[in-house]
Amino acid sequence: MERRRTFSREFKLEAVKLVTERGVAVAPAAKDLDVHENVLRKWVRGLRDEPQEAFPGNGKQKAQDAEIARLRKEVAKLKMERDILKKAAAYFAKESM
């Protein structure tokens, strides 16, 4: 089984500069760097769209993704609390009859 290759942030930045600043086409640049064309295009697009948060690295999330994960956890906790309160209300309503 082949492991997925990982590339450093510096490598990705240099690969993108090769395409954007030096004007090398994506296909030959990808072939020279031994990466798939789509991967190089994704790097170029990622740096163009969000230059500050491009290539966050292993274990690091973009601020927006971290916020979404935090909110999802909070929603799950609130749903659990709501369900517990519903069951408690039904139980006490049944006891008071």
Side-chain angles (χ1 to χ4, degrees):
M1 181 187 226
E2 190 175 325
R3 277 190 69 175
R4 180 179 288 205
R5 295 185 301 167
T6 57
F7 301 97
S8 68
R9 177 178 171 80
E10 292 77 23
F11 179 84
K12 293 176 183 180
L13 290 172
E14 289 299 319
V16 170
K17 283 181 185 178
L18 185 66
V19 173
T20 57
E21 293 178 5
R22 295 186 185 169
V24 178
V26 173
K31 186 175 182 179
D32 290 344
L33 296 170
D34 193 30
V35 297
H36 196 275
E37 289 180 39
N38 291 340
V39 171
L40 185 53
R41 283 189 179 96
K42 181 181 174 188
W43 293 348
V44 171
R45 187 173 43 252
L47 189 63
R48 182 186 64 227
D49 293 346
E50 298 179 39
Q52 298 300 324
E53 294 184 358
F55 321 129
N58 294 337
K60 298 178 184 172
Q61 293 181 325
K62 295 180 181 177
Q64 183 180 10
D65 293 340
E67 178 70 6
I68 289 171
R70 186 188 68 76
L71 291 172
R72 284 187 177 154
K73 281 184 181 179
E74 187 176 342
V75 166
K77 179 183 171 200
L78 292 172
K79 283 182 179 180
M80 183 179 64
E81 289 175 357
R82 178 201 63 198
D83 292 343
I84 290 171
L85 290 174
K86 276 185 180 180
K87 289 177 184 177
Y91 175 78
F92 288 118
K94 183 177 165 184
E95 287 290 318
S96 66
M97 293 180 145

